[in-house]
Amino acid sequence: MSSYLAPAILWSAIALCAVAQVALLHSFFLGASRPARGASRAFRTTETLWVVLPALTLACLLAVTWRAVHAPAPAGPGGAPASAIGAEAGS
């Protein structure tokens, strides 16, 4: 994959996920889908966890993906980058 394409796809995914999560959080805390005031405290807590936990999990997943995309190329034999070895073999 091209070195410019991977970050572009990652940033697109981050933007789309962020918009979706903000919409979900807004709907839950301010919209019609929020728990009723008469709902039990345990129900409200459970519902809140089911909204916030996926957002936190997604943030962690995106952080791990960011590190993977920006990880240095593994070194091949003799300390040369693996991509340079493949280029030499094709010559």
Side-chain angles (χ1 to χ4, degrees):
M1 185 178 294
S2 116
S3 62
Y4 297 108
L5 188 58
I9 291 172
L10 177 64
W11 279 111
S12 298
I14 289 172
L16 290 171
C17 290
V19 168
Q21 282 298 322
V22 167
L24 287 170
L25 292 170
H26 179 270
S27 174
F28 179 75
F29 288 112
L30 303 174
S33 65
R34 67 180 174 210
R37 291 196 185 272
S40 70
R41 184 172 179 86
F43 175 78
R44 290 179 63 89
T45 302
T46 303
E47 289 296 310
T48 303
L49 283 174
W50 277 113
V51 170
V52 173
L53 235 80
L56 294 176
T57 303
L58 184 60
C60 291
L61 180 63
L62 290 173
V64 169
T65 304
W66 174 264
R67 286 186 179 171
V69 167
H70 294 297
S83 59
I85 293 170
E88 291 172 7
S91 301

